[in-house]
Amino acid sequence: QLLHLAEELPDAAHALNVCTILHRLAKGLAREGPRGMSERSRMLRGTAAWKRLLFLVQKLVPDLNNMELTNCLWAMAVLEATGPGEEILLTSLIA
């Protein structure tokens, strides 16, 4: 359901909504336990919804407040997001 919401977010989506979806995706995967986490995370990161979230977060970086930044960074860490597009976003988030 969260993946469907992520795919349907408009380009003008509010930062709170985008960051909350990203955070809840990571939280949901983390609740399933550490066994198989890398595989579940890899599968999530291969979806169109994930790419959409990365695009929206990247676009919203200048407007994110501290909580939104923290939630995005936490989610990226939990999901072991280290691909090329993800590294660009991480660099933007910590700049």
Side-chain angles (χ1 to χ4, degrees):
Q1 189 175 13
L2 287 173
L3 290 175
H4 179 70
L5 283 174
E7 289 176 337
E8 299 299 319
L9 284 170
D11 284 348
H14 191 277
L16 177 63
N17 296 331
V18 175
C19 295
T20 297
I21 290 174
L22 181 61
H23 183 269
R24 288 195 179 165
L25 283 170
K27 190 174 182 178
L29 285 181
R31 278 189 186 155
E32 294 177 19
R35 182 177 212 129
M37 178 65 171
S38 293
E39 180 63 21
R40 292 189 311 268
S41 176
R42 186 188 62 73
M43 288 173 57
L44 169 67
R45 293 189 338 262
T47 65
W50 177 255
K51 291 172 181 60
R52 178 78 178 145
L53 281 173
L54 289 183
F55 167 77
L56 290 171
V57 172
Q58 179 70 41
K59 187 175 132 185
L60 293 166
V61 166
D63 300 322
L64 299 180
N65 64 34
N66 290 341
M67 182 63 77
E68 292 159 349
L69 283 170
T70 302
N71 284 342
C72 288
L73 287 169
W74 178 85
M76 299 289 281
V78 166
L79 295 171
E80 303 167 353
T82 58
E86 297 153 345
E87 286 183 9
I88 292 168
L89 175 58
L90 286 168
T91 301
S92 298
L93 288 169
I94 61 173

